[in-house]
Amino acid sequence: MNQHSRSEKIEALGRVIDVLGRLRVECPWDRKQTNESLRPNTIEETYELCDALMRDDVADIKKELGDVLLHVLFYSLIGEEQDRFDIVDVADALNSKLIFRHPHVFGEVKVDSTDDVLKNWEQLKLKEKGGNRSVLAGVPSALPALIKSERIQEKAANVGFDWEKPEQVWDKVKEEISEFEQEVKKGNEADMEKEMGDIFFALINAARLYGINVENALEKTNLKFIKRFNYLEEKAREKGLQLKDMTLAQMDEIWEEAKKEA
C-alpha cells in the first residue's frame, strides 16, 4: 500500500474529529454518552483489538484500531465539553511523557540494551511530576490477574529485585508445586488455592525471565485446544457419535489425529 504523508495523516484525524463533533450534536445516542456509559464499550473494543492482533487479521486490526481511536477522541470531546481538557491536552501530555521517559533518545543518557531502557523507565516514572509514588503503584488494580502478575514482576525486576540467572526460578517453581501437593494431601482447600496462586506466580516469573509473554502464550494454547476440540466434535459427528456417549479412549484416538492436523 502507499504510505500516507504527514499532512494526510493529520487531515484524516481532523476529519474524524469533525465527524464525531457533528454526531455529538445531531445523533441522540452519541449525544447522551458519558465517561461511565462509554467505559464498558471501551473495554470490549480493546479486547476485540487484542483478538484481531492475535489473529494477525489486517482488516480487523485496522477496524478495531479505529474503534479504539474513536473512544480516545470521544473521551477527549467529553473533557472539552466539561472545560477540563481536550485532545490537544491529551496529545501534549503524551508527547511530554514520551520525551521525558526517553532521555537516551532526546537527552544525553546512554543505554546498551532494552533492559537498560526499562530500568530507566521505572526510575523516571518515580521522578516525573504526578508520577507514581512507588514502583508498583503504576499497576492498574483492574488488570486481569495474569497480566497484573506479569506487570508486577516486570516492575520489581526493573529496580533490581530479580533472579541473578533465569534457571534459578525453576527451584522456586518446584518448591511451590511441592507445597501445593502437601496441601492437597491435607485437604485444606483455602491453602490449596493460595499455593496454586503461588505456582502461577512462579510460572509467570519463569516466562518473563525467558522472554515469553504469558498472555500470548496462553491464548495460543487456548486457540490450539479449541481447534483440536472442534476437530474432535466434527469427527465424532461423522461417526454418528456424541461426545458424552464416547469413551475416553475413543476421544483420545481422534484427539491424536487432531494433534497431527494442528
Side-chain angles (χ1 to χ4, degrees):
M1 62 173 289
N2 294 327
Q3 296 294 318
H4 294 100
S5 67
R6 185 173 185 275
S7 62
E8 287 174 324
K9 294 173 185 176
I10 293 173
E11 289 171 6
L13 287 171
R15 288 193 295 271
V16 175
I17 292 172
D18 291 342
V19 168
L20 178 59
R22 182 172 176 180
L23 291 175
R24 183 66 168 168
V25 174
E26 300 181 24
C27 173
W29 186 90
D30 289 280
R31 191 163 55 237
K32 74 174 187 178
Q33 297 311 305
T34 65
N35 287 340
E36 291 76 17
S37 67
L38 283 173
R39 180 179 174 275
N41 292 339
T42 305
I43 295 170
E44 181 179 346
E45 296 297 355
T46 303
Y47 275 111
E48 289 178 355
L49 171 59
C50 291
D51 180 63
L53 291 168
M54 284 298 297
R55 292 183 282 107
D56 196 27
D57 186 319
V58 175
D60 273 0
I61 290 173
K62 182 171 65 175
K63 170 181 171 294
E64 300 303 340
L65 280 171
D67 290 341
V68 172
L69 175 60
L70 170 62
H71 282 245
V72 172
L73 295 175
F74 214 143
Y75 289 120
S76 299
L77 178 56
I78 292 172
E80 182 177 355
E81 292 168 351
Q82 297 172 346
D83 198 27
R84 299 167 72 185
F85 63 88
D86 63 13
I87 190 61
V88 173
D89 298 311
V90 173
D92 283 347
L94 173 60
N95 191 53
S96 296
K97 180 169 68 174
L98 289 174
I99 292 173
F100 179 78
R101 292 188 184 177
H102 292 79
H104 53 287
V105 176
F106 300 101
E108 303 300 322
V109 173
K110 303 297 181 183
V111 295
D112 296 319
S113 66
T114 300
D115 288 341
D116 288 345
V117 173
L118 292 174
K119 289 175 181 177
N120 286 339
W121 183 276
E122 293 300 335
Q123 293 300 319
L124 288 165
K125 287 171 72 174
L126 292 171
K127 293 178 182 178
E128 67 186 0
K129 183 179 179 181
N132 301 328
R133 287 174 291 181
S134 70
V135 172
L136 300 183
V139 180
S141 59
L143 276 180
L146 186 71
I147 300 176
K148 184 190 292 186
S149 178
E150 189 174 39
R151 294 293 177 269
I152 288 170
Q153 294 173 15
E154 287 174 350
K155 289 180 176 295
N158 286 338
V159 294
F161 191 74
D162 202 3
W163 302 98
E164 294 179 355
K165 298 179 181 178
E167 55 268 25
Q168 292 174 324
V169 74
W170 295 113
D171 287 336
K172 186 62 176 176
V173 172
K174 293 172 185 176
E175 175 189 327
E176 300 298 354
I177 292 174
S178 176
E179 290 178 359
F180 173 74
E181 290 173 338
Q182 291 173 25
E183 297 306 327
V184 170
K185 291 177 182 177
K186 296 177 186 176
N188 189 327
E189 293 186 3
D191 283 347
M192 284 166 57
E193 180 183 58
K194 179 178 74 70
E195 297 301 342
M196 181 59 75
D198 290 345
I199 291 173
F200 285 138
F201 196 84
L203 285 172
I204 291 168
N205 221 343
R208 176 187 61 81
L209 289 165
Y210 286 93
I212 297 169
N213 180 286
V214 289
E215 176 70 21
N216 290 345
L218 183 57
E219 180 60 7
K220 287 176 181 177
T221 296
N222 289 340
L223 295 175
K224 181 173 61 178
F225 183 90
I226 290 170
K227 186 173 182 179
R228 290 176 178 176
F229 196 84
N230 288 342
Y231 181 94
L232 170 60
E233 285 187 304
E234 182 182 349
K235 291 302 178 181
R237 281 194 296 267
E238 290 176 2
K239 297 175 183 291
L241 300 171
Q242 293 187 9
L243 294 181
K244 64 183 181 63
D245 298 324
M246 296 173 64
T247 66
L248 183 58
Q250 288 175 309
M251 288 190 282
D252 279 341
E253 183 179 351
I254 299 176
W255 186 263
E256 290 302 319
E257 293 178 14
K259 289 170 66 174
K260 295 176 182 177
E261 295 290 329

